[in-house]
Amino acid sequence: MQYEIEVAGRMRHVNVDRTGDTLAVTLDGRTWQVDAARIDAQTLSLVVDNVWRKSYDVVATSDAATAQLTVHVGETPVAVAMNGRRHKGRKDGAASVSGPQRVVAPMPGKVVRVLVQAGDTVRARQPLVVVEAMKMENELRAGRDGTVADIHAQEGASVEAGALLVVIQ
Amino acid sequence: MDISPVAVYSECDRTAMHVRLADEAYPIGPSAPRDSYLRIDRIVDAARKAGADGVHPGYGFLAENAAFAAAVRDAGLIFIGPAPHAIETMGSKTEARVAAERAGVPVVPGTKDPIAAGVPDADIAAVADRIGYPVLVKAVAGGGGKGMRTVVDRADLSSAVRAARSEASAAFGDAAIYLERRLTRPRHIEVQLLGDAHGLVLPFVERECSIQRRHQKVVEETPSPAVSSSLRRAITSAAGAVARTVGYTNAGTIEFLLDEDGRFYFLEMNTRLQVEHPITEMVTGVDLVQWQIRIARGEPLTLDADALLAPRGHAIECRIYAEDPDNNFLPSPGRIAALRTPGGPGIRDDSGATAGLDVPIFYDPMISKLVAWAEDRPRALARMRRALGEYRVAGIKTTIPFFTWLLAQPEFVDADVHTTYLDEVLKARNGRPFVEPTAELQEIAAIAAAVQAALSPAPHNGAAHAGTAGQWKSQARTEGLRQN
C-alpha cells in the first residue's frame, strides 16, 4: 500500500508492505522493519527496527469536523494529513478516498466572517470561516487541499454545534 | 465517612463522573449555568427531594454566593462552607479590605469605598493621584480577572474606568469599581485557613500562585520558594487575624501580594475551597474537604497548629485545560478519544475526565488538576515533568505541551517569577508553537499513519479494499482487536 502523507508541510511518500508478521515501511526511500501491535481502536505499539529497536506508543485520532488526523507519538501530538490516495501498485488518479470534507461549527456561536467562496481552490490549513464563540474568535480551517463546493455559512448568522458551514471537494 | 453522595447535574453533565460515582443523581436543568448550576431554587429543591442533610457548593458557580448559603440554611440543610454574613463581607472587595485593616494587616494601597457609577472623572483622578501610579481599576463585585484594567498614564484613566465598569456590569451586574496601586513584579502568596464553630482559626503553610495567564492561575506550589520561616509566621498570622475579625468558619483562603522588598499586602479573600487545595493536602497530610464536612457538623478542629506550618516536602499543581496553547489557548471542546493519566509515586491526578467524554463548551474547560509531590522542589519538578510526559489525551488539544515547556524555563526552575512573568514570556515567544515535533517524530507519525491505515481500512473505501479485508483478517496476530 502506498500513501501520501503530509507532515509539517512536507509530503511524504510511504509504502507499507506486509511480509509475514512484520511490516516493511518505506518512507522517502528508506526502509524500516516495523512490528505493529494494535492496543485498541486508536492505539498502536510500534517497535521500529532501525539499529536499535525503538518502541513508540502511538495514538491516532481524527477530528470529524476538519478531517485533521492527529498522531500522538509518545507525548507529542503531530498533525498529519492523509491525502487519501491509495495505490495497489498502480496509479489510478482516483478522487480522494475520504469524500467531500464537511467543515462544521465545533460549538454554538456566530459566523463572523466567511473567507472563501464556492469554486475557490483551498490548501490544507487555509482559514475558511471565522466563528465567534465563548467570547473568542475561532478560525476554522481546511483539513486538506481541495475546492470549495458549497458555502452554507452566512455572515452574522448564529449556528449550533455541528452546523454545516463549508463543503470542500 | 459513610456519607451517601447525591449529584446534581445539568443536561450535558448527565454522563459526568460525579453522576456516575454518586449514590443518587437529580437533573437540575439545561446546560447553560444560568439554567442549572446557578439556579438556587433547583439545587435546594433537589436537596430536599433527596432528603439530603447538607450541600457542598464546590468552587465556582454558587460557591461564594451568600444568598445560596442562606437558602440552604433556610431549607434546614447544612451548608458546607462559611456563614452567609462572612461570604457577604469578604465577597465585597472593598469591605474585605476594611476588615483586613481592622485586623491590623496592610492592604494594597487603594480606595476605601467603592466608586459608584456617576462619580466625576476629576474625583477619580484625584484618588488615583493619591494612591500612586501605576493604578489598577478593579470591579468591587469582581473575580477571575474580569473588570480589571491597568493604568500607567493619567491620561488613560477615564477610558480605563469606563471599560472596567462596562465589563463589570456585564459580568457581575454591578458597575462599582475601586482603585488599587499596581505593585511591580509582585508574587501571589495565599494562605489556606480552616475555622471551626468554636472560634478557632488555623492557618496553613502558604501557597504560591504567581504563574498566571491573564490573571488566571495555571500553576500553584507549596511552600513558596520566596517565603522564609519568619515571613511565613508573619503572613499566616496576618491571615488568621483577618479571618478572626469576621468570625470566619469552614475553609477559606486569604490572598496576598508580596512585593520585591519582601512586604506583603492583603489582596482579597476567597470564602470557599480553592482549586489548588490538593497541594496543601499533600504537604500537610490534612484532608481539607473532610474537615469542611466535620466543621459543618459542628466538630472542633483538633489539628496541631504548628504542624500545619511545617510542610513535609514540596508539591506543585498544573491545571490541565482543554485549550490549544498553539492557538492562543483557545478552548478545545470535543470528545476525548483516548485518555491515560499518569500515576506512580507522588503523583495525584484529580479529574472528572474519561475517554469517550465530551468536554462541554458551557463551562471552564479544565479537565484535570495534576499534582506532584516530592521531598524537595527540584524533585517535585522532575516528577511533574515525568508525569506530564506520561499524560495522554487524544481527541482534543490540551495545555500539557505548554506545561512541559514552562517547567523547563530557567526562571521557573529558579523560582524567579512574579504575577506577570507568564504573560511576558508568552508574549516574547510570539506565537511560536509549543508542539514542535522533531524530524524523527515526524517520520514516525507518517509511518504510524500509514500503518494505521494499512491495518484498519476506512469503511467508506468501498470496493477498493474489499479484497484486502480478507487478507488482513488472516493476519490476526497483528490485530489485537477486531475493528468495526
Side-chain angles (χ1 to χ4, degrees):
Chain A
M1 296 292 128
Q2 245 190 58
Y3 302 90
E4 283 173 30
I5 300 175
E6 191 185 323
V7 184
R10 253 184 60 205
M11 193 65 74
R12 324 284 169 123
H13 303 277
V14 187
N15 192 70
V16 180
D17 267 327
R18 203 153 209 161
T19 45
D21 288 324
T22 47
L23 305 167
V25 180
T26 305
L27 169 65
D28 292 339
R30 290 174 59 198
T31 303
W32 287 275
Q33 299 304 312
V34 176
D35 180 325
R38 182 174 286 294
I39 308 298
D40 62 35
Q42 291 110 353
T43 310
L44 287 174
S45 167
L46 300 182
V47 179
V48 179
D49 208 331
N50 187 14
V51 184
W52 313 109
R53 285 178 57 84
K54 291 189 90 165
S55 168
Y56 299 97
D57 206 57
V58 170
V59 180
T61 53
S62 67
D63 185 326
T66 60
Q68 168 89 59
L69 185 65
T70 302
V71 178
H72 292 249
V73 182
E75 59 180 308
T76 309
V78 184
V80 164
M82 297 208 45
N83 281 16
R85 268 157 301 189
R86 279 171 57 158
H87 313 285
K88 286 175 293 183
R90 63 177 176 86
K91 281 196 191 311
D92 56 13
S96 167
V97 159
S98 315
Q101 183 196 155
R102 299 162 57 86
V103 179
V104 303
M107 56 182 112
K110 197 171 87 166
V111 176
V112 172
R113 268 188 304 284
V114 179
L115 304 167
V116 293
Q117 39 192 353
D120 284 355
T121 306
V122 293
R123 306 233 42 191
R125 304 285 300 152
Q126 180 174 336
L128 308 168
V129 182
V130 180
V131 176
E132 191 210 84
M134 294 164 86
K135 300 188 178 137
M136 314 209 77
E137 294 201 343
N138 277 353
E139 266 185 350
L140 303 180
R141 297 160 180 262
R144 50 165 209 270
D145 296 358
T147 309
V148 178
D150 291 305
I151 305 247
H152 296 265
Q154 271 187 325
E155 285 191 13
S158 287
V159 290
E160 298 284 307
L164 182 63
L165 301 174
V166 179
V167 180
I168 298 180
Q169 289 284 7
Chain B
M1 291 181 83
D2 273 333
I3 293 177
S4 176
V6 176
V8 291
Y9 62 95
S10 68
E11 255 164 47
C12 68
D13 273 352
R14 169 62 184 82
T15 52
M17 187 59 84
H18 74 294
V19 174
R20 296 168 60 193
L21 294 178
D23 289 349
E24 293 174 33
Y26 296 81
I28 53 170
S31 305
R34 66 171 180 275
D35 297 326
S36 48
Y37 294 116
L38 294 176
R39 287 290 298 264
I40 295 178
D41 57 339
R42 289 195 177 154
I43 294 175
V44 173
D45 233 18
R48 277 214 200 87
K49 266 206 202 90
D53 301 299
V55 178
H56 192 304
Y59 39 76
F61 294 139
L62 295 171
E64 283 183 283
N65 186 305
F68 179 57
V72 168
R73 182 197 53 189
D74 293 343
L77 304 163
I78 298 170
F79 180 75
I80 302 169
H85 78 85
I87 298 176
E88 199 147 15
T89 305
M90 299 313 268
S92 156
K93 305 304 176 200
T94 43
E95 277 194 62
R97 286 162 56 87
V98 167
E101 284 181 309
R102 266 204 340 259
V105 174
V107 299
V108 179
T111 51
K112 257 195 156 42
D113 300 306
I115 302 174
V119 173
D121 282 354
D123 292 2
I124 304 183
V127 170
D129 282 338
R130 192 179 34 86
I131 293 170
Y133 284 84
V135 142
L136 262 178
V137 182
K138 297 170 85 166
V140 172
K146 286 211 174 86
M148 270 175 73
R149 286 286 185 289
T150 302
V151 184
V152 175
D153 203 301
R154 299 181 88 238
D156 301 323
L157 183 64
S158 1
S159 59
V161 168
R162 260 193 300 280
R165 282 201 197 284
S166 148
E167 213 174 276
S169 213
F172 312 110
D174 184 352
I177 50 116
Y178 68 110
L179 303 182
E180 237 178 39
R181 165 111 57 80
R182 192 194 173 108
L183 303 180
T184 44
R185 306 154 72 86
R187 301 176 84 119
H188 174 116
I189 307 292
E190 60 185 36
V191 176
Q192 175 73 54
L193 301 155
L194 283 180
D196 67 18
H198 311 274
L200 180 60
V201 171
L202 293 178
F204 286 67
V205 54
E206 79 289 340
R207 294 188 287 252
E208 172 156 8
C209 313
S210 300
I211 305 296
Q212 302 176 7
R213 197 183 75 84
R214 299 191 187 165
H215 309 289
Q216 310 267 354
K217 299 168 186 169
V218 278
V219 177
E220 304 98 348
E221 59 180 301
T222 182
S224 165
V227 172
S228 63
S229 14
S230 59
L231 180 55
R232 177 168 304 136
R233 267 193 301 277
I235 206 170
T236 54
S237 301
V242 177
R244 266 173 232 114
T245 302
V246 298
Y248 196 79
T249 57
N250 215 283
T253 294
I254 294 195
E255 300 185 332
F256 298 88
L257 289 181
L258 182 70
D259 75 10
E260 292 178 301
D261 303 319
R263 280 186 304 239
F264 62 89
Y265 302 90
F266 172 88
L267 184 63
E268 60 185 59
M269 180 173 194
N270 292 321
T271 56
R272 56 172 167 82
L273 189 70
Q274 290 196 274
V275 168
E276 58 269 27
H277 73 273
I279 57 174
T280 298
E281 295 186 330
M282 303 288 266
V283 299
T284 59
V286 173
D287 185 333
L288 290 167
V289 178
Q290 189 186 93
W291 268 109
Q292 280 192 290
I293 297 170
R294 293 171 69 174
I295 289 168
R297 285 172 166 173
E299 283 184 45
L301 279 170
T302 54
L303 297 166
D304 177 346
D306 294 328
L308 304 183
L309 302 175
R312 190 181 141 250
H314 195 97
I316 171 170
E317 174 184 275
C318 289
R319 299 192 186 192
I320 312 291
Y321 271 75
E323 287 175 343
D324 187 353
D326 288 342
N327 192 7
N328 207 29
F329 294 85
L330 235 53
S332 170
R335 175 152 302 183
I336 297 175
L339 184 76
R340 190 180 75 214
T341 54
I347 298 299
R348 168 176 166 177
D349 183 66
D350 279 11
S351 170
T354 53
L357 189 78
D358 273 304
V359 176
I361 53 177
F362 297 95
Y363 319 123
D364 189 299
M366 184 164 70
I367 58 173
S368 96
K369 301 183 288 179
L370 180 61
V371 179
W373 175 93
E375 300 85 355
D376 55 45
R377 189 171 188 269
R379 284 194 178 83
L381 293 187
R383 258 188 193 152
M384 179 60 83
R385 278 186 217 110
R386 190 262 295 163
L388 289 168
E390 290 176 355
Y391 217 132
R392 288 285 171 282
V393 187
I396 54 166
K397 300 268 182 355
T398 70
T399 48
I400 292 170
F402 153 73
F403 285 117
T404 303
W405 167 85
L406 177 67
L407 259 68
Q409 297 317 293
E411 297 88 2
F412 182 78
V413 173
D414 292 341
D416 180 17
V417 296
H418 51 88
T419 54
T420 49
Y421 159 75
L422 182 58
D423 284 335
E424 287 165 14
V425 285
L426 287 178
K427 196 160 171 215
R429 277 182 67 89
N430 211 12
R432 216 183 92 218
F434 291 98
V435 179
E436 284 181 313
T438 57
E440 176 200 350
L441 293 184
Q442 289 176 25
E443 285 180 339
I444 298 300
I447 289 172
V451 167
Q452 170 85 330
L455 296 182
S456 47
H460 48 251
N461 272 1
H465 68 225
T468 58
Q471 191 185 339
W472 291 146
K473 270 186 205 159
S474 71
Q475 305 292 337
R477 203 195 124 167
T478 321
E479 297 287 349
L481 295 173
R482 280 179 44 204
Q483 309 104 14
N484 34 344

